[in-house]
Each structure stands twice: as C-alpha cells, then as structure tokens.
Amino acid sequence: MKVDSLRTASGPTISWRVIECWGAGISIFLQTGAFLPLMLADADGTLSESAKSILRLPCIPIYVFTAVILIRNFPQFLTALRRNLLVPVMLALPFLSTLWSISPPTTLRRAIGLLFCVLLSYVLAIRFTPRQLLFLLFVTLGACIGLSVVISVVSPSLASMADGAMRGVFIHKNVLGWYAALMILVATAVLIDGALGLRRTAFILLAAGVICLASSGSMTAIIATSVAYCLIGFYSLLQRSSSIGRIVIVLVFVQLSLGILISLHEFLVPALEALGKDATLTGRVPLWELVDREISDRWLLGYGYQAFWTVANPEATHMWLKIGWPAPHAHNGYRDILLSFGIVGMIPFVLMVPYAIRQGGFLQCHDPQYGWLWLNVLTIMILVMNLTESIFFVQNDAIFILFATAIIMFSLYAPVVTISHSPSWQAPARGLASGLQTS
C-alpha cells in the first residue's frame, strides 16, 4: 500500500480504504479541539456545562467509525492486543478504579470516553504505516496551524487571548503551542523523508508552526520542540552507528538527560528568580506541593480515574482556595496518574513506556525504510510535555491518541522484524496478514 492511496480514490466508487483515510483524518482533527471549543467558549475563554455537552456530540461519529473499522479488521486488532498486553491492562484500570473512586459516575463516564480514544489508536496503528500516519498528520495539523495563522490576520481579537498571546483556532495559547510543536516535528520529518515529495509545502507549514509556537509563548511547547530536534539528531546518529557504538551513544544520552534533569531540579528556580521570571512556573510549583500531599494520602490506589479534579471533591476545592485558581489538573501527567490510580497504575505505565522506547529504537535501527524516526521523537516529546502539563490518559485528546498509537505500533512491528529479519516492506504482510495492505 503506497502513500498515494491516502490521496486519491481508485475507481468510480468510494472504497473502504478511502473511508478509513478520511475517517481517521477527520477524527484526529476533531480530537485536536480546534474551532468548536473556541466557538462555544464564553468571553473569558471558559466552557459552560451546556457547551461541554455540545462538544461531546462530535465524538459519537468518531466512536462509530472506530467500532466499524475494528470490527472489519478484528483479527489484526486481536494481534495488536496480544503483542502488548500492558496497553489493555492500562485501559482496564480506569474501569477497575470505579470500585474505589470518590466519584464512580464521573470515573465510569470518562473511562468509556478513554476506551474509544485508545481504540482509535488501535485503528491508526493497524491500518496505517508510520509514513502514512505522518502524511495524515501533515494534512490534519497543517490545516489547524495554517488556519490559526489565517484567523490571526483576519480576526486578531478572536485568535488572541486577553494577555495578547496567540491561540489561533484553539481555546488556549498552550494548546496552540502543543500542536505547533507537533507541526514543526511533522514538517521536519517530511523534509527529512523525501518519499512524500512535499518539501515546498513542508517548508511553508514549518514556518507557520514556528510563528504559532513563538506567538503562543508556551514554554512547555518550546522546550518540547528543542528536545525534539535533539532527539532527531540522537536517533539519526543511532541508526548510522554500529552495535557497540549504539550502546555508547545510548549511555551518553541517558547520562546527559539525567544530568539535565538534576540540574533543572536544583538550579531552575534560582535561575528564574535571578532573571526576574516567575519562579513558581505560573503557579505550578505550589500546586505540585499540595498535589504531592494528596498523593501520599492515597498512594496505593489513588482517587479513581479523573475523579480528583471535580467540584464534588472537597480536597480539590480546598486546594483551589489555597492556590487561588481552579486548576483543572495537576499540570503534570505523572502526578495525575498517581492521583487516578496510585502506585498500582504507575507500575504498569513505567514498565510500558521504556519497553516501547526500546522497541521504537530497535525499529529505527533495523527497519528505517518505514520512517520510524518521527514516531520515536514524538513519544519522548510527549513524555517531556507531561512534566508540566497533563496529557496522559486524557479522553478525546489527539495528542494522547498519537502517544498510544506510537506504543501500539512499536509493539506491532518490532516482533516481526526481530523474528523474520525480512526486508521492511515484507514485515507488515507477515506480521499482520493483510491488515496493513490495501483493501
């Protein structure tokens, strides 16, 4: 199956492949939160309960599309489940947490939404190759970022927040920053990978992504973009090295990463104070101190999936009064996992992620023709984002869907390459039967 099959339909009728491509693209676009939340938001940028109810409606056709595609490709879906059992374990945890949740109805409702989001990740993983998914994101994110630039020129007041920062077609500047960072990664990957033949468009969208990133002022996205370019160099060097050289490169990279994290922990706040910047990271530091206390109270099982940050929870209300603003989450994905599931949920997550990173690195070195570079970078990029934002296990969120897709796709292809050592174009046919071929 070639990338061209994503662009044109063959024959006078609409094939299932065309439905898959358009359905996946539209689903990702809707899950980015572009346009609709901005149109329904109040003047201060908040969403009322009625607006949130309306925003749930577009999810219904996405769920239907996901279910239909998985039913049509059920053997491949079962293969994907078997090849990484940690993903279904993590998917079962939100439902199990209703047994100890402080708000079982909230946990159950949100767990159902998360279920369909991860099922969409399975659809993307079994029906698209890495390069085809890259093209799909190139078009989808390109539309979001390109329209953000256009609307900022046509209607600056709508595309800007009260502080003057650009938000484009999204409800908040940070969201624009996240997707601008992803756009920069995707456009750079298209430039590196000449197979798509879209270099001129990639340069334009890369420039648009840089404009949106700088105008949003999102430090999380800026740091994630910087990390992404470092990772591009790391994985490119890893692919070109010998076996012993790869071990040395990995050890040096891990040591440098640990050194940077330790330095940030020790010197970031003093450095920000010396520069006259907000040493609390926009209120995150005092929030984290309070969150850590709550985690210690229920360290084993947590409070139930996404049950902590609700108005009905007195601990959350008390925390909001202390910090002076209604934090919607912990602004740290790892802390939110502990709040939801405790150590019971963190252990399988900690096992799943490094294993996925190892598989992704293996595929980058032994199966480079499929274009694994950008998926490897994306995975670690999202891990970095979650140091100051909460993206893990968020229902109806395109970034987490892509994160789960990468993990599933790594586990789907890695065993095939390991066992067969066949040329990369034969790997999907052996490992997934006809599931990744043109249908």
Side-chain angles (χ1 to χ4, degrees):
M1 180 173 60
K2 298 181 180 180
V3 174
D4 289 340
S5 64
L6 291 172
R7 302 179 185 175
T8 59
S10 57
T13 60
I14 298 177
S15 67
W16 271 103
R17 186 56 185 166
V18 173
I19 294 174
E20 289 175 350
C21 297
W22 278 95
I26 293 172
S27 297
I28 294 173
F29 180 83
L30 291 175
Q31 299 288 36
T32 62
F35 282 110
L36 279 179
L38 181 63
M39 297 296 103
L40 296 173
D42 297 331
D44 58 355
T46 59
L47 289 170
S48 63
E49 290 302 319
S50 61
K52 291 179 181 178
S53 299
I54 295 173
L55 289 174
R56 295 189 188 106
L57 296 178
C59 296
I60 296 175
I62 297 175
Y63 297 165
V64 173
F65 164 77
T66 300
V68 169
I69 299 302
L70 286 181
I71 291 172
R72 280 182 52 84
N73 299 274
F74 196 68
Q76 291 75 32
F77 175 49
L78 292 179
T79 300
L81 287 174
R82 287 194 298 266
R83 290 191 178 175
N84 193 335
L85 296 177
L86 287 172
V87 176
V89 167
M90 292 301 303
L91 192 55
L93 270 175
F95 291 94
L96 290 175
S97 69
T98 58
L99 300 175
W100 63 80
S101 173
I102 60 174
S103 179
T106 300
T107 293
L108 180 59
R109 175 171 56 83
R110 294 180 177 179
I112 293 172
L114 179 67
L115 169 64
F116 280 96
C117 287
V118 178
L119 291 179
L120 177 59
S121 296
Y122 276 103
V123 169
L124 297 176
I126 67 179
R127 297 305 298 156
F128 298 92
T129 65
R131 186 171 286 114
Q132 290 168 346
L133 185 59
L134 175 65
F135 176 75
L136 201 64
L137 285 181
F138 184 73
V139 175
T140 306
L141 297 183
C144 294
I145 297 303
L147 290 172
S148 292
V149 174
V150 171
I151 196 173
S152 66
V153 175
V154 176
S155 180
S157 59
L158 180 62
S160 302
M161 299 189 66
D163 60 359
M166 181 179 173
R167 65 181 179 185
V169 296
F170 299 96
I171 197 170
H172 197 277
K173 62 179 182 179
N174 286 341
V175 182
L176 173 65
W178 302 343
Y179 286 106
L182 294 185
M183 182 74 258
I184 291 172
L185 168 62
V186 169
T188 302
V190 171
L191 289 172
I192 294 173
D193 187 347
L196 295 179
L198 297 167
R199 291 184 179 274
R200 184 177 301 176
T201 307
F203 273 118
I204 295 173
L205 291 179
L206 177 62
V210 172
I211 291 171
C212 291
L213 179 65
S215 301
S216 71
S218 172
M219 285 306 301
T220 298
I222 292 172
I223 292 172
T225 304
S226 302
V227 170
Y229 275 96
C230 294
L231 290 169
I232 289 173
F234 166 72
Y235 278 107
S236 299
L237 185 62
L238 194 68
Q239 177 191 338
R240 297 169 185 170
S241 303
S242 61
S243 299
I244 298 177
R246 287 169 185 163
I247 296 175
V248 174
I249 292 170
V250 170
L251 290 175
V252 171
F253 183 80
V254 170
Q255 290 177 355
L256 285 175
S257 300
L258 291 175
I260 292 172
L261 288 174
I262 293 172
S263 299
L264 286 175
H265 182 269
E266 295 294 330
F267 304 112
L268 179 60
V269 172
L272 290 173
E273 291 176 343
L275 295 172
K277 302 292 185 180
D278 184 2
T280 68
L281 301 179
T282 323
R284 287 175 173 83
V285 174
L287 172 63
W288 291 338
E289 292 175 355
L290 296 173
V291 167
D292 290 343
R293 295 176 192 172
E294 300 298 333
I295 290 173
S296 64
D297 290 340
R298 294 203 181 196
W299 61 271
L300 183 60
L301 297 174
Y303 293 82
Y305 174 61
Q306 291 197 0
F308 184 86
W309 303 103
T310 56
V311 179
N313 180 21
E315 284 83 2
T317 305
H318 183 64
M319 187 182 297
W320 292 335
L321 292 174
K322 274 192 173 182
I323 62 177
W325 56 287
H329 45 68
H331 279 278
N332 182 286
Y334 306 94
R335 284 179 168 91
D336 269 319
I337 291 176
L338 290 170
L339 281 175
S340 291
F341 312 120
I343 296 297
V344 170
M346 183 58 78
I347 289 175
F349 181 80
V350 168
L351 293 174
M352 178 180 69
V353 171
Y355 186 63
I357 293 174
R358 179 181 174 276
Q359 287 182 320
F362 177 86
L363 289 167
Q364 170 64 17
C365 295
H366 295 88
D367 195 27
Q369 294 185 18
Y370 256 100
W372 293 102
L373 175 63
W374 76 275
L375 265 181
N376 279 283
V377 175
L378 174 75
T379 303
I380 301 180
M381 191 177 177
I382 294 174
L383 292 174
V384 171
M385 285 182 175
N386 275 275
L387 293 173
T388 54
E389 297 293 347
S390 290
I391 301 173
F392 294 142
F393 301 102
V394 176
Q395 71 275 15
N396 301 321
D397 181 86
I399 297 180
F400 177 69
I401 290 171
L402 294 174
F403 179 75
T405 300
I407 292 176
I408 296 167
M409 197 174 281
F410 291 153
S411 62
L412 200 55
Y413 284 79
V416 178
V417 177
T418 303
I419 294 172
S420 68
H421 295 288
S422 61
S424 61
W425 60 85
Q426 295 178 5
R430 294 189 181 186
L432 302 175
S434 61
L436 293 175
Q437 299 177 359
T438 305
S439 57

